Amino acid sequence: MGSTEKQLFFGTPGDYEPMAYHAACFGSYRGFDIELAWHIASALGCKLEVVDTTWDTLVQDAKANAFDMAIGGISRTPQREAELTLSDDYLETGKTILCRKADAACFTSIADIDEPDVRVMYNPDGTNEAFAKANLHHADCRIFAKNVDIPQQIALGRADVMITETVEAPFYLRRFPELAAPLIDKPFTHEAFCVVLSPKCAGMVGAVNRILAKLRASGKLQEMAQRCIGWPPRVNHTESREENR
């Protein structure tokens, strides 16, 4: 008998280690958010299917029902909250920086980074670019297409600072021991990740929130954070926003 299991399509930009990224050696996506998507799909009685989106087209693709849900280090922003259906927060993060260890003592504040001789690199179209544009007015800011490749650019000396997040920085510190995250305990912002639901799946937001709450209460989210990220950021114990949708 053939399987009648329904497919649940999750869109992801897939360029955000350790949240959701394409692992070439496996020919598939890996990361905290991919595992989370699997838990959500499984709890809904569906088979997970991952499809591509981009930071630039995320809102447009969601509105066009190009996928059922989206995940991959997607921060809650006023624009996304106004235009899309979002789940409850499931993981807190905040903007911070990566730099070379030799330069770590030079960067103790935004003012230290926002200097004409500091080369700052970030990926386009997401909250990293928005943060840089809002806070860096003098630094030599440079856009680099692939977020996952920026740490190596810093390690190679092709830029001085990467705009990153507290869940991402520890992952790269393990990969590039010559890098440092001197401000990781003092993030510039306080943000949270959420699941995006397309219009055709908006009515499932309550079910998704209940799944997230169960994973949180069981300690599974915390275990995933320790294993996938290597540093346990705070898990946000928010009440359901379902009534506000």
Side-chain angles (χ1 to χ4, degrees):
M1 182 181 296
S3 173
T4 58
E5 190 175 24
K6 180 182 177 182
Q7 293 177 310
L8 190 67
F9 291 92
F10 267 86
T12 185
D15 67 345
Y16 191 162
E17 295 183 282
M19 304 307 292
Y21 58 98
H22 190 267
C25 58
F26 295 107
S28 61
Y29 286 97
R30 293 287 190 273
F32 178 100
D33 278 341
I34 300 302
E35 185 171 336
L36 179 58
W38 182 89
H39 281 290
I40 293 171
S42 179
L44 294 173
C46 299
K47 178 183 178 183
L48 172 65
E49 295 288 344
V50 180
V51 298
D52 294 327
T53 186
T54 69
W55 296 109
D56 187 39
T57 63
L58 176 64
V59 172
Q60 176 185 335
D61 288 347
K63 289 181 176 180
N65 292 309
F67 43 71
D68 297 315
M69 302 180 191
I71 206 165
I74 300 173
S75 299
R76 181 183 300 279
T77 67
Q79 180 200 6
R80 290 169 185 162
E81 197 156 35
E83 298 187 48
L84 303 172
T85 299
L86 307 178
S87 76
D88 287 344
D89 304 337
Y90 60 83
L91 200 65
E92 287 187 346
T93 187
K95 295 301 179 195
T96 190
I97 65 166
L98 279 177
C99 65
R100 290 178 295 280
K101 277 185 178 178
D103 299 331
C106 300
F107 302 120
T108 62
S109 66
I110 282 287
D112 291 339
I113 300 163
D114 195 20
E115 294 288 344
D117 60 344
V118 178
R119 299 166 298 170
V120 179
M121 193 171 280
Y122 49 85
N123 63 301
D125 303 317
T127 57
N128 289 338
E129 181 178 16
F131 175 83
K133 288 184 174 179
N135 294 278
L136 302 177
H137 308 293
H138 307 289
D140 179 1
C141 292
R142 306 178 178 192
I143 292 178
F144 196 83
K146 291 188 177 181
N147 187 69
V148 295
D149 293 335
I150 296 177
Q152 185 176 32
Q153 298 297 306
I154 305 299
L156 291 173
R158 294 172 182 165
D160 304 307
V161 169
M162 174 187 182
I163 301 300
T164 183
E165 290 180 333
T166 56
V167 298
E168 183 179 43
F171 181 88
Y172 287 118
L173 293 180
R174 290 186 291 175
R175 179 174 294 181
F176 299 98
E178 63 269 47
L179 297 183
L183 301 174
I184 194 168
D185 293 327
K186 300 176 182 179
F188 303 126
T189 64
H190 295 279
E191 303 168 27
F193 296 143
C194 56
V195 179
V196 172
L197 292 89
S198 67
K200 67 180 178 180
C201 292
M204 299 172 68
V205 66
V208 171
N209 287 340
R210 287 189 288 274
I211 294 166
L212 294 174
K214 185 174 181 180
L215 289 170
R216 181 183 303 123
S218 69
K220 185 63 179 178
L221 280 180
Q222 295 89 325
E223 181 273 325
M224 287 166 55
Q226 179 62 54
R227 175 167 43 80
C228 298
I229 299 171
W231 176 73
R234 289 180 299 160
V235 175
N236 194 15
H237 295 262
T238 57
E239 295 298 323
S240 171
R241 291 184 171 85
E242 183 181 357
E243 68 276 7
N244 296 326
R245 299 201 181 282

